[in-house]
Amino acid sequence: MPSRRGLLAAVLGLAAATTRAGADARPEGAFRSFIDGLRPDAAARGIAAETFNAAFRGVTAPDPGILARTRRQSEFVRPVWDYLVGTVSAGRIAKGSARAAALAGPLEAIERRSGVPGPVVLAIWGIESDFGASAGGIPTIRALATLAAAGHRGSLFRDELLAALTILQRGDVTPERMSGSWAGAMGQVQFLPSTYLAHAVDFDGDGRRDIWTSATDSLASIAAYLKDRGWDPALSWGYEVLLPGDFDLARYTGDLAAFAERGVRRADGHPLPPRGRASLFLPGGRGAPSFLITDNFEVIRGYNTSDSYALAVGHLADRLGGGPALAAAWPAAAGLDGPGLRALQTGLAATGYYDGPKDGRAGPKLREAVRRYQIGAGLPADGYATAALLAHVAGRGAPGP
Ligand code: CA
């Protein structure tokens, strides 16, 4: 699943839509010309001819498998709870706990340095690469060259290819060992090359930022990425909460202290922190597991824009930190799938509630539009996109319970 591959999913969200028709039919000659055309830009970035030649040794044709995969983006959206059950499994919790024990010293140092809790860093490492066991073995240079030559997403992959060459020039890794997933996300942390250049860390001090074979470099790099994106050490990612029966869903953002005053309690019985802001997130509607999420939830979404991903990271981190399973049960029926979400985006745009992309993806912007629509229509403002809500927006009837 692309959605389990960190930055990969974000990058590929629009890849299929921007593929040039027939790009895979380019002859080898055109691919070689494309690579040769990179030389001036590479030289301008200080990449030596020897580095360039070594990087592309044996890379003579695009990878047809990668081009085929860009056209296979699924419209299917797994319900949040399906993704959570698959991602935060008993096996993963056990494996993560064992890794946490083995790496306790470095994790403590990384947390001290970055302010990001060790369990959060471990959770991302676990989801991206099964704690380093499955980092993807596709050669990065050929993957990026394939996507760049096909013109995916404008110049994005060309820029990433030049960033990858910069990494090789620095000597952090050899071309043979620079590998990852099919869309260029690299190593145990699934960083694109530009992300690597901006955030990767040499924790063990051997002079190389090694996200391919070093567990501690990988963990420190994930932590640095979250810190650089603004992780607030004073707050968690969020909390599962229990809402009082008369809770007004229309007031869904505010200070944690104000939520506590309104009778919101953490499901695990611990008190909510006295400071910080949060917003209510009901990924299965009212009655299903309910969360107060902080700005740190958005920091995690920088890694992967999916709400399901950020929730899985947060919950897995809680479990690795000794926290309990979710208290509430998920609903039996799923929310809208990709085409349904796109129809809802279109409908809400037509009524003036939504001005974001019509990409068939759930996220904070659509959730906000759904809530404003619900408030306007006198419906419970849970922000949950269901078939009943879509029918209501389309004027075909009132939503069910
Ligand atoms: Ca290192």
Side-chain angles (χ1 to χ4, degrees):
M1 285 295 290
S3 58
R4 299 176 69 154
R5 281 289 165 201
L7 295 166
L8 170 64
V11 167
L12 285 172
L14 299 170
T18 54
T19 306
R20 281 210 305 249
D24 57 330
R26 282 180 160 226
E28 277 187 23
F31 185 72
R32 288 216 182 102
S33 304
F34 170 80
I35 290 170
D36 275 336
L38 289 170
R39 284 182 184 274
D41 283 351
R45 292 185 183 213
I47 294 154
E50 305 80 65
T51 304
F52 191 98
N53 293 336
F56 288 103
R57 195 163 292 136
V59 181
T60 54
D63 182 335
I66 287 174
L67 291 172
R69 289 189 73 160
T70 64
R71 291 189 291 271
R72 253 187 271 137
Q73 289 299 297
S74 172
E75 285 285 337
F76 179 65
V77 179
R78 291 169 79 188
V80 167
W81 44 97
D82 264 17
Y83 182 78
L84 269 181
V85 167
T87 307
V88 190
S89 63
R92 181 162 276 147
I93 293 166
K95 192 167 182 178
S97 300
R99 301 296 271 155
L103 293 161
L107 278 168
E108 209 180 293
I110 288 165
E111 179 166 341
R112 212 165 41 238
R113 198 175 296 181
S114 65
V116 183
V120 172
V121 179
L122 268 176
I124 290 179
W125 190 42
I127 292 173
E128 294 302 332
S129 65
D130 192 22
F131 307 101
S134 143
I138 295 175
T140 298
I141 293 291
R142 188 181 182 207
L144 290 172
T146 296
L147 293 164
H152 279 286
R153 303 223 40 205
S155 65
L156 184 144
F157 286 109
R158 189 177 190 276
D159 293 341
E160 291 298 341
L161 182 53
L162 289 165
L165 293 171
T166 303
I167 296 168
L168 294 175
Q169 181 65 42
R170 294 170 45 108
D172 284 299
V173 65
T174 62
E176 296 73 33
R177 288 180 49 235
M178 181 186 252
S179 63
S181 62
W182 61 273
M186 306 185 300
Q188 300 183 15
V189 303
Q190 294 287 290
F191 279 176
L192 283 169
S194 61
T195 307
Y196 174 100
L197 287 174
H199 305 285
V201 169
D202 172 24
F203 179 85
D204 59 22
D206 69 350
R208 292 179 299 113
R209 303 190 283 177
D210 182 1
I211 58 168
W212 293 272
T213 60
S214 166
T216 52
D217 281 10
S218 295
L219 290 166
S221 296
I222 292 168
Y225 177 80
L226 298 178
K227 175 179 191 279
D228 295 346
R229 284 189 54 90
W231 183 275
D232 181 349
L235 290 175
S236 169
W237 63 274
Y239 311 89
E240 189 192 357
V241 292
L242 307 175
L243 304 176
D246 60 351
F247 187 82
D248 177 10
L249 290 175
R251 292 163 59 208
Y252 49 85
T253 60
D255 291 331
L256 286 163
F259 278 111
E261 272 171 34
R262 293 167 64 197
V264 179
R265 299 281 173 265
R266 278 176 63 175
D268 65 7
H270 293 287
L272 284 167
R275 63 154 287 267
R277 288 184 64 78
S279 80
L280 196 59
F281 178 37
L282 307 174
R286 179 136 204 189
S290 308
F291 304 90
L292 280 176
I293 54 175
T294 71
D295 286 347
N296 286 337
F297 190 84
E298 287 304 305
V299 172
I300 296 171
R301 284 181 79 256
Y303 219 105
N304 179 320
T305 55
S306 146
D307 285 333
S308 298
Y309 176 87
L311 196 56
V313 167
H315 184 50
L316 178 57
D318 285 353
R319 300 299 300 276
L320 292 174
L326 295 177
W330 292 106
L336 291 173
D337 61 4
L341 288 170
R342 192 175 295 121
L344 182 62
Q345 287 167 332
T346 304
L348 289 173
T351 52
Y353 282 97
Y354 179 75
D355 64 354
K358 297 179 186 69
D359 57 1
R361 286 163 171 252
K365 196 153 190 177
L366 179 59
R367 200 151 56 239
E368 175 71 17
V370 167
R371 277 173 157 145
R372 288 196 296 112
Y373 178 86
Q374 289 171 322
I375 291 168
L379 303 170
D382 61 8
Y384 184 38
T386 61
L389 181 81
L390 176 58
H392 194 280
V393 171
R396 289 202 300 268

